[in-house]
Amino acid sequence: MPHRVLSIFRRRLFRFLAILSLLLCLATVALWVRSYWRLDDFEHTGTISSRTDRNGALSCFGELDFVAVHIQSDYHLIFPQRWQLSTERSSVDKRLSDFAKQFPGARIHWLADFGYMDYSRPSYFARGIWFPHWFLAFLFAILPTLRLLTILRTRHRHRAGLCPTCGYDLRATPDRCPECGHVSSDAAV
């Protein structure tokens, strides 16, 4: 009995994660399309002792950027902790991959559309990564695709008279699978 409960829990968890992943995939595709005419910037700014931090995410021209900037200052400027969402017209030169070129001495690692920037000075450092929206949409599409394949495989097996669990031919024993012991829904009633 505990094994059956665990199996049901795993199936429901997988189903929930597949639905959540599908919603995130659709949101990523919508943000991807939007990024070609609107730049969306979501950031957190604040001061901790004498260090000002700016962390954020930027969506611009099909690129998703994550940036962390830390400024060490002796002037004790205090910025309140705040979250900010801003949007403006998108332009190619506002992408992190183009912006990183403006930092002399910055270490930039680039492979296709994926990249990493590291810029360090004694009182200032910035780090950022960027990658295309399609990559994130692809990652979020994996679980829904697996769920869809599972549904299609189960439907095919049921129509062909096969056991939905192991695929054994049930034409001779339609009530119960002799291979894995799965009881058909008709026999359970």
Side-chain angles (χ1 to χ4, degrees), residues 130-143:
W130 61 88
F131 48 87
H133 281 91
W134 64 259
F135 179 70
L136 195 58
F138 172 75
L139 289 179
F140 285 138
I142 292 173
L143 276 180

Side-chain angles (χ1 to χ4, degrees), residues 4 174-176 181-189:
R4 181 158 172 75
D175 297 337
R176 184 181 184 96
H182 178 78
V183 178
S184 72
S185 58
D186 299 334
V189 174

Side-chain angles (χ1 to χ4, degrees), residues 29-151:
V29 169
L31 186 63
W32 179 11
V33 170
R34 178 183 163 87
S35 74
Y36 285 100
W37 69 87
R38 299 303 296 174
L39 177 143
D40 294 312
D41 186 12
F42 184 67
E43 70 177 27
H44 178 262
T45 307
T47 302
I48 301 171
S49 64
S50 63
R51 186 182 82 201
T52 302
D53 296 332
R54 291 184 66 197
N55 303 311
L58 179 83
S59 172
C60 180
F61 262 86
E63 183 177 279
L64 194 58
D65 310 328
F66 293 97
V67 182
V69 177
H70 304 285
I71 304 168
Q72 192 72 29
S73 175
D74 296 332
Y75 296 111
H76 301 294
L77 298 173
I78 297 176
F79 293 99
Q81 301 280 333
R82 68 181 180 144
W83 291 92
Q84 179 180 346
L85 175 64
S86 62
T87 184
E88 61 185 68
R89 289 192 61 81
S90 194
S91 67
V92 177
D93 61 344
K94 299 211 177 191
R95 296 183 303 182
L96 181 61
S97 56
D98 296 321
F99 184 69
K101 297 173 188 173
Q102 298 175 5
F103 288 99
R107 290 183 291 169
I108 301 173
H109 307 283
W110 197 306
L111 178 65
D113 288 336
F114 301 84
Y116 172 77
M117 177 196 73
D118 184 19
Y119 180 74
S120 297
R121 294 291 176 257
S123 62
Y124 179 88
F125 78 88
R127 290 192 178 111
I129 61 169
W130 61 88
F131 48 87
H133 281 91
W134 64 259
F135 179 70
L136 195 58
F138 172 75
L139 289 179
F140 285 138
I142 292 173
L143 276 180
T145 303
L146 291 176
R147 177 70 183 139
L148 179 64
L149 291 175
T150 302
I151 290 170

